Amino acid sequence: MRGENAIITGGARGIGESIARLLAKMGAAVIIWDVLEDQAKAAAAAIAKDIGVKTLGSAVDVTKAASVDTALDAAMKEFGKIDILVNNAGVTRDGLLIRMKEEDWDLVLAINLKGVWICTKAVGKVMLKARKGAIVNIASVVGVMGNAGQANYSASKAGVIGLTKTSAREFAQRGVRVNAVAPGYIRTAMTDKLSDEQRGRLRNMIPMGDLGTPDDVADAVAFLASDAAKYITGQTLNIDGGMVM
Ligand code: NDP
């Protein structure tokens, strides 16, 4: 990936940070977009120091087209082109469907689904003009199989899978590939909130018997973003220890 430039949304921590670090290790310059400016800049500076690639960290709210456009202008001024976009920013606001607050539905759909569309629209334009690009969206297995207590989250991630297929079809003839990964249960701040009992129940549902790691997700994203996947588009790859098959 030497000479390539990659944007990772929500890249300041968790799975997004692991993805940013792996792409940097593979030679890409990385641009971290995160809602908190200090965290975006700190993560970008740490990657530059540890791995020695060029980085940029910007405060971006993926739900706001103006915020994305401003950050993209800054990235284009600094780097000249964007080769890879990883739409990773995502949140949960769990609750049973009949008790779910409208604001929790709206927030999760705005960040997890509309945010992917906003970033794909802005960065996709640049890639289409260059006739080159790879976009990887972070969905979830619950977008495929549903999950009690996650009506908003599972709907947003199912939406991401549909959006992946449509953008793949629209962009295919102009050299831009779009794929998704659907992680199962991955050890991060998001899953640290689970009780021991919930974690035990989860392990029983996973054929490989354990939660995954952010690096497991990063490996699959790096593959889909690289030329090793140059004939793959519109696909969703499950990273879930065999939960969904
Ligand atoms: P984290 O909460 O650790 O990281 C998400 C990042 O996105 C945070 O840095 C967060 O910033 C940022 N973010 C939130 N809202 C916005 C916004 N509006 N604009 C820009 N950035 C934003 O989550 P994970 O690393 O666990 O998850 C990453 C992705 O993987 C998500 O899409 C998630 O749905 C998906 N996923 C995770 C699984 C898991 O088991 N952990 C399983 C399946 C999918 P801030 O720190 O301010 O909140």
Side-chain angles (χ1 to χ4, degrees):
M1 290 180 180
R2 219 162 291 278
E4 302 209 326
N5 305 318
I7 293 173
I8 300 100
T9 72
R13 63 181 170 104
I15 292 171
E17 190 193 1
S18 293
I19 295 168
R21 282 187 171 268
L22 181 56
L23 298 184
K25 279 186 195 147
M26 292 169 77
V30 298
I31 299 149
I32 292 183
W33 287 357
D34 209 281
V35 73
L36 298 176
E37 181 160 27
D38 289 353
Q39 291 192 11
K41 289 198 184 316
I47 291 172
K49 181 168 170 275
D50 296 346
I51 306 172
V53 295
K54 198 171 163 190
T55 65
L56 176 70
S58 307
V60 177
D61 181 347
V62 296
T63 67
K64 307 268 185 314
S67 164
V68 169
D69 289 343
T70 304
L72 182 58
D73 283 350
M76 286 298 285
K77 270 200 196 99
E78 184 91 17
F79 294 86
K81 65 177 180 126
I82 306 297
D83 304 282
I84 296 166
L85 166 66
V86 182
N87 282 308
N88 163 83
V91 297
T92 52
R93 289 293 182 277
D94 297 348
L96 292 173
L97 186 148
I98 57 170
R99 290 197 199 129
M100 188 170 281
K101 291 193 198 106
E102 192 172 344
E103 69 208 49
D104 287 340
W105 172 272
D106 288 344
L107 180 86
V108 169
L109 269 289
I111 296 174
N112 297 11
L113 182 56
K114 190 176 178 190
V116 175
W117 170 70
I118 288 173
C119 293
T120 301
K121 185 176 171 182
V123 181
K125 267 186 211 158
V126 169
M127 291 178 166
L128 290 171
K129 235 186 252 165
R131 296 283 197 275
K132 181 183 180 297
I135 299 175
V136 184
N137 297 326
I138 312 300
S140 165
V141 288
V142 309
V144 180
M145 64 183 211
N147 194 22
Q150 291 197 306
N152 48 3
Y153 186 77
S154 63
S156 73
K157 296 298 189 179
V160 167
I161 293 170
L163 179 57
T164 300
K165 293 177 186 177
T166 294
S167 30
R169 285 186 188 278
E170 291 191 9
F171 296 175
Q173 298 213 340
R174 290 210 263 166
V176 179
R177 297 181 299 103
V178 189
N179 290 288
V181 297
Y185 289 95
I186 306 297
R187 258 185 232 109
T188 61
M190 213 181 241
T191 45
D192 283 349
K193 288 184 228 154
L194 299 173
S195 67
D196 285 347
E197 194 206 330
Q198 283 172 315
R199 226 184 302 270
R201 246 187 288 132
L202 272 180
R203 284 209 175 88
N204 291 335
M205 287 164 56
I206 304 172
M208 290 180 78
D210 204 357
L211 278 73
T213 66
D215 287 344
D216 294 327
V217 180
D219 283 331
V221 171
F223 164 66
L224 289 170
S226 77
D227 278 351
K230 66 182 187 306
Y231 197 52
I232 301 176
T233 197
Q235 304 304 306
T236 299
L237 183 57
N238 297 342
I239 324 281
D240 63 353
M243 249 169 92
V244 175
M245 49 172 101

